[in-house]
Amino acid sequence: MHSSEDLAFAEDVRAFVKSHLDPETRRRVVNALPVPPEARKAWHTALYLKGWAAPHWPVEWGGTDWSPARSYLFSETLAEEGAPELSPFGLMMLAPTLIRYGTEAQKRDFLPKILSGEQQWCQGFSEPGAGSDLASLRLRAERVEDGWVLNGQKMWTTMAHRADMMFCLARTDPNAPKRQMGISMFLLDMRTPGISVRSIDLLNSKQTTNEVFFDDVRLPPSSLVGEANRGWDYTRVVLGNERLNIARVGLCRRQLKRLKQRAASEPDGRGGALIDGPLLRARLSAAEIELTAIEALSLKMLRRVEKGAVPGFEANMLKIRGSEMQQRLTELLVEVSGPGSLLHEEDPDDGSAALFKAHFDTRVVSIYGGSNEIQRNIIAKGVLGLGGRS
Amino acid sequence: MTTDQDPGHLRGQLGEAVATMLDRQYSFEQRQQYREDPHGYSHDVWRAYAELGLLGLGVSEEHGGFGGGLQDMGVVFERLGAALNLEPLLTTIVFGGRLIDAAGSPEQKAAWLPPLVSGDLVVALAHDEPQSRYGSMSVRTAARSSSRGWVLSGEKRLVAGGDAAGLLVVSSLTQGEAGQEELALWLINPEAEGVRRRRRQSFDGGGLADIILDEVHLGPGDRLGGNGARSHLEHALDEATALQCADAVGAMAAANSLSVDYARTRTQFGAPIGSFQALQHRLVDMVIAEKMAAAMTEAALSALDRGRSDAAQLVSAAKVCVGQSARLVGQETVQMHGGMGLADEYPAAHYFARLGLFERRWGDADHHITRFAELSRQARN
């Protein structure tokens, strides 16, 4: 599928990771250990200086003119090589939205700082009463003479405690004929008076996501993205349903490799190595076959995009199967590691994270960014033409 | 427990007594507090277990116990699993009370059973080793004979309850009378010379210990079960596995009722999410999984109580069946709850951890499928 030029390019990417990524950072990524913010920043800077921080952006804003195939290969290769993922909120979610719908001033103010990594963003979408039914959101934004006043609450706001800025959805017209038509998108500084952040601990970890409260938060007119009451239309871009790498094949390839290494070194309790057991071999192979099929569908989508099509519903399908594959692989890693996966703390003997924690953390991938239930609803309606409640 | 009453009735009473105690002392919020205790569980609750007679379950009455069989204990462990209990009750009852009662000398029973029943002794089985995975008889720890008895050395890994235990039941190889290698069990004080223990923590709560045994000196009075140790140990491991199944069944039942309640009350798209057929069917599959697991567990416990020849096979079958169910229910519990399913301050994620780690103790599906196949081939020959 990939041209020989692109395959040679992938080798350059591998070489770049080897020469520019701190081996300690790579070790932490591969072993599912936490990566310190400074190490993430250092990697962002390395990519930025090479001109690779946001290859999918237009050239005029610091992107590249790569083909979709090359962009795809780039991302998957980085993941496969154990590079930490850059925070997606600015680079992957907001920026494409601003490039398409933002004002010149917004692009000028934010895109360079997102590209360099000096400004971190968080995403204010979900609320206590608006999860899978995002359009029921209630954060209220009222138009006043000198801008907007926001009151309400966001929930599950990842990184809100570290972010400099937030993009959020708020209700600007409660009387719109359809709920989706009364929503607008805003950009705001997290230090704006009236904003407070409360952490939500996830199982066995501290400070990983947040609630954000808005109490008479005053924003200038320039904080609005695009047109008022059009925010819902922009969410498709934000949620990345058009993203080519949505199935995260590279990450899965890396996990599969680690899984096989682990199975080769783990004793089977009968004097041999675990990987020689036929039951486990069959499960590992079945997972690899499924991953190969996911990759085949990704590449098929990519070929259509190369001919000018938009990604379409394959992306929703790949979100479902890709998230399930990530979960399957962490679960297999827990199985393969046997009693050792009971441990809560990092295992000093093999430098791994608490393996069950990594498995638990992967549960979120079928929940966030439009849960798998919502993806299935979209396919049922959009592909199969089966209407229903929505 | 007297035997002239209907056992089902007695079991019901026992279950209610445990439920009443747990209602008072084991709310989810109280459990969150107990996790902060040094051993990761509540000593007050341990006292309450003793007062209810739970620590004497399965121990014969002549040694201060209250009798009862595996099915009675199953009722208790279902309740405890539903409450996500943290205390090392299972190891103490099975590898302490039951095993010493079955295999101990009169002196050993007199020394260890009364303090165990009264709540003053936690017992753990130090059997698994770094190379043993779930191969239940793969032991390298060795006891060689010396002038005064034996000297034991080896390494034991991730001993459940090992951090809190006041007595360890340790397995080793030793030389039998005819010179053959045989499995031996030893009762060892964890504070004895040559024993080093490193406390570890499991992801679903509950303490563990890695234990190094370096030239531990033992006398004839420390040996448990003589040359019948191997079959005693195999039987105790089956009992532990079956009771762990009961624990998981209780956890599944509680997780399912949590999910059903959530589906009834959580509103999205203008209706409770439980009104959507796609979710209804998945909730039904979760409940079917729970009921299958419960039935299979009852069959295994009953076979153990009756001493049936296929009991070991049924235990392996239960472990596989309950494992499949636990996986489905644990994962779906999180998915049904969305973000709430991940939060520390809400029980769903804790059920995921309990159920997700079910197969990491006393054998996973591959181990028990293989064992099932071997046992059924032996039964045919």
Side-chain angles (χ1 to χ4, degrees):
Chain A
M1 148 87 206
H2 298 293
S3 69
S4 53
E5 289 84 8
D6 280 350
L7 291 175
F9 166 75
E11 288 313 307
D12 293 345
V13 174
R14 280 181 221 283
F16 180 78
V17 175
K18 284 200 176 67
S19 59
H20 285 77
L21 180 61
D22 177 12
E24 171 60 13
T25 304
R26 185 180 183 281
R27 187 187 74 85
R28 299 194 75 84
V29 171
V30 170
N31 289 299
L33 296 163
V35 177
E38 314 79 63
R40 241 175 241 288
K41 180 89 200 318
W43 176 240
H44 189 139
T45 304
L47 286 174
Y48 172 67
L49 294 174
K50 177 79 178 170
W52 284 356
H56 55 290
W57 292 12
V59 176
E60 58 169 316
W61 293 110
T64 66
D65 55 2
W66 295 350
S67 68
R70 182 166 284 206
S71 286
Y72 172 90
L73 200 58
F74 174 73
S75 302
E76 300 300 3
T77 306
L78 285 189
E80 210 174 329
E81 291 299 308
E85 284 179 27
L86 305 187
S87 173
F89 301 115
L91 287 166
M92 306 291 286
M93 302 173 114
L94 178 63
T97 314
L98 286 185
I99 288 165
R100 212 179 292 187
Y101 305 107
T103 62
E104 281 309 306
Q106 284 168 339
K107 292 181 210 180
R108 245 192 350 263
D109 285 351
F110 300 122
L111 294 180
K113 291 178 185 164
I114 291 173
L115 190 70
S116 69
E118 67 179 284
Q119 190 177 66
Q120 290 296 315
W121 286 74
C122 65
Q123 175 208 36
F125 276 22
S126 297
E127 297 180 8
S132 52
D133 182 13
L134 185 59
S136 68
L137 62 90
R138 291 167 61 182
L139 173 66
R140 183 79 174 91
E142 273 178 286
R143 200 191 283 267
V144 292
E145 205 174 316
D146 54 349
W148 303 87
V149 178
L150 275 61
N151 278 291
Q153 184 194 343
K154 291 291 169 184
M155 199 171 181
W156 312 117
T157 316
T158 304
M159 291 299 291
H161 60 296
R162 288 225 188 89
D164 308 297
M165 299 287 295
M166 171 193 273
F167 59 94
C168 71
L169 295 177
R171 188 158 301 283
T172 37
D173 181 3
N175 304 314
K178 279 188 75 179
R179 299 178 308 169
Q180 287 83 348
M181 292 163 69
I183 294 170
S184 303
M185 190 182 291
F186 294 94
L187 311 176
L188 55 98
D189 191 315
M190 290 300 284
R191 291 164 306 184
T192 312
I195 289 183
S196 52
V197 176
R198 189 186 83 92
S199 71
I200 304 172
D201 292 348
L202 300 188
L203 177 65
N204 286 343
S205 57
K206 297 287 169 211
Q207 180 86 46
T208 36
T209 189
N210 305 275
E211 290 178 281
V212 180
F213 299 91
F214 295 73
D215 183 15
D216 280 334
V217 174
R218 306 187 78 85
L219 300 180
S222 60
S223 61
L224 180 71
V225 176
E227 293 173 42
N229 299 324
R230 293 283 311 279
W232 189 256
D233 301 338
Y234 309 151
T235 59
R236 189 172 165 84
V237 181
V238 174
L239 289 179
N241 290 337
E242 298 176 7
R243 209 171 298 149
L244 299 172
N245 304 84
I246 196 159
R248 308 176 85 174
V249 172
L251 169 77
C252 290
R253 288 262 171 238
R254 189 182 83 217
Q255 296 275 43
L256 190 67
K257 191 171 149 195
R258 181 176 177 220
L259 190 53
K260 288 179 182 170
Q261 285 169 347
R262 185 100 194 192
S265 66
E266 197 76 27
D268 68 354
R270 295 167 179 239
L274 196 63
I275 199 162
D276 296 326
L279 294 174
L280 179 69
R281 284 178 83 89
R283 279 205 304 286
L284 293 184
S285 296
E288 187 165 356
I289 289 165
E290 167 83 6
L291 178 56
T292 307
I294 290 170
E295 186 170 25
L297 184 59
S298 296
L299 295 174
K300 194 169 170 185
M301 174 172 80
L302 192 57
R303 278 195 296 273
R304 296 201 324 109
V305 171
E306 291 265 280
K307 289 179 190 150
V310 289
F313 294 103
E314 286 124 326
N316 303 95
M317 297 179 185
L318 287 166
K319 163 79 166 50
I320 295 171
R321 287 305 184 93
S323 60
E324 288 171 354
M325 174 54 57
Q326 292 166 55
Q327 293 171 341
R328 184 167 166 183
L329 291 171
T330 54
E331 185 174 26
L332 278 168
L333 193 59
V334 163
E335 268 181 55
V336 161
S337 305
S341 337
L342 283 169
L343 286 174
H344 181 24
E345 73 262 44
E346 178 183 329
D347 191 338
D349 294 333
D350 72 358
S352 288
L355 291 164
F356 194 80
K357 169 138 187 356
H359 174 48
F360 172 72
D361 289 345
T362 312
R363 300 316 303 179
V364 78
V365 301
S366 56
I367 295 171
Y368 67 24
S371 70
N372 283 10
E373 288 78 10
I374 294 303
Q375 304 294 338
R376 287 186 167 94
N377 283 349
I378 291 170
I379 296 166
K381 207 169 163 182
V383 179
L384 309 181
L386 298 170
R389 285 180 273 196
S390 75
Chain B
M1 214 164 287
T2 50
T3 49
D4 54 354
Q5 277 179 284
D6 168 30
H9 178 67
L10 277 175
R11 239 165 257 157
Q13 286 183 332
L14 181 62
E16 273 169 38
V18 174
T20 306
M21 188 275 284
L22 293 171
D23 278 348
R24 215 172 43 236
Q25 285 184 266
Y26 233 97
S27 68
F28 180 69
E29 291 69 28
Q30 286 168 314
R31 179 187 188 266
Q32 294 285 69
Q33 297 289 317
Y34 303 157
R35 289 168 75 202
E36 307 297 325
D37 282 0
H39 277 301
Y41 69 85
S42 159
H43 288 272
D44 290 341
V45 170
W46 191 258
R47 289 272 145 227
Y49 291 158
E51 280 160 26
L52 266 179
L54 302 188
L55 291 162
L57 271 181
V59 175
S60 56
E61 291 168 41
E62 56 172 314
H63 297 107
F66 305 100
L70 270 293
Q71 292 172 94
D72 302 305
M73 291 184 248
V75 170
V76 173
F77 280 100
E78 264 189 48
R79 302 279 185 177
L80 293 173
L84 296 165
N85 90 302
L86 299 158
E87 296 72 27
L89 191 68
L90 198 152
T91 61
T92 299
I93 290 183
V94 173
F95 303 116
R98 300 274 295 175
L99 184 55
I100 293 173
D101 200 12
S105 67
E107 293 76 21
Q108 286 170 334
K109 294 186 199 184
W112 299 113
L113 293 179
L116 185 152
V117 170
S118 64
D120 297 312
L121 181 68
V122 169
V123 181
L125 175 71
H127 175 52
D128 293 339
E129 300 182 1
Q131 86 293 343
S132 65
R133 194 167 173 87
Y134 309 113
S136 55
M137 293 303 143
S138 159
V139 172
R140 282 190 191 157
T141 297
R144 56 183 164 79
S145 27
S146 71
S147 52
R148 284 166 299 166
W150 293 269
V151 180
L152 180 136
S153 292
E155 190 180 341
K156 299 292 181 179
R157 182 167 83 137
L158 302 174
V159 173
D163 60 328
L167 178 69
L168 298 172
V169 178
V170 179
S171 62
S172 81
L173 292 177
T174 196
Q175 212 156 55
E177 280 168 19
Q180 82 289 11
E181 220 169 43
E182 66 181 19
L183 190 106
L185 290 174
W186 310 91
L187 298 176
I188 297 180
N189 176 352
E191 305 300 327
E193 205 181 322
V195 182
R196 285 204 312 276
R197 108 174 117 162
R198 174 176 167 214
R199 291 170 204 284
R200 315 220 47 182
Q201 209 201 329
S202 73
F203 189 81
D204 59 349
L208 303 166
D210 287 341
I211 294 169
I212 307 278
L213 302 145
D214 184 14
E215 307 258 305
V216 182
H217 288 264
L218 299 164
D222 301 318
R223 187 161 177 184
L224 180 69
N227 57 13
R230 185 189 168 107
S231 66
H232 280 299
L233 177 60
E234 279 177 343
H235 188 69
L237 288 168
D238 274 339
E239 290 191 347
T241 306
L243 290 174
Q244 187 210 12
C245 288
D247 179 292
V249 166
M252 279 187 258
N256 282 343
S257 78
L258 196 70
S259 294
V260 171
D261 283 350
Y262 188 76
R264 280 208 183 99
T265 51
R266 170 72 174 173
T267 299
Q268 292 282 268
F269 304 103
I273 59 170
S275 68
F276 303 132
Q277 217 169 43
L279 297 194
Q280 283 171 2
H281 288 183
R282 279 163 55 192
L283 285 162
V284 167
D285 284 339
M286 290 158 75
V287 172
I288 293 173
E290 169 207 326
K291 299 297 179 196
M292 298 272 290
M296 195 64 232
T297 299
E298 273 174 43
L301 290 169
S302 156
L304 285 168
D305 271 343
R306 286 159 206 266
R308 276 173 49 164
S309 60
D310 61 351
Q313 216 178 330
L314 280 167
V315 168
S316 279
K319 182 84 204 225
V320 173
C321 166
V322 176
Q324 277 169 358
S325 295
R327 192 177 288 213
L328 175 91
V329 171
Q331 294 177 0
E332 287 284 54
T333 299
V334 171
Q335 188 71 22
M336 286 287 162
H337 283 85
M340 279 309 288
L342 304 168
D344 194 80
E345 62 191 22
Y346 187 79
H350 298 267
Y351 284 112
F352 174 81
R354 180 88 153 204
L355 294 169
L357 287 171
F358 170 77
E359 285 189 43
R360 307 282 80 79
R361 298 180 169 100
W362 300 307
D364 62 7
D366 286 1
H367 174 83
H368 283 283
I369 285 172
T370 308
R371 182 171 180 252
F372 182 94
E374 280 166 6
L375 289 169
S376 69
R377 188 168 54 194
Q378 284 167 23
R380 269 202 317 274
N381 291 341

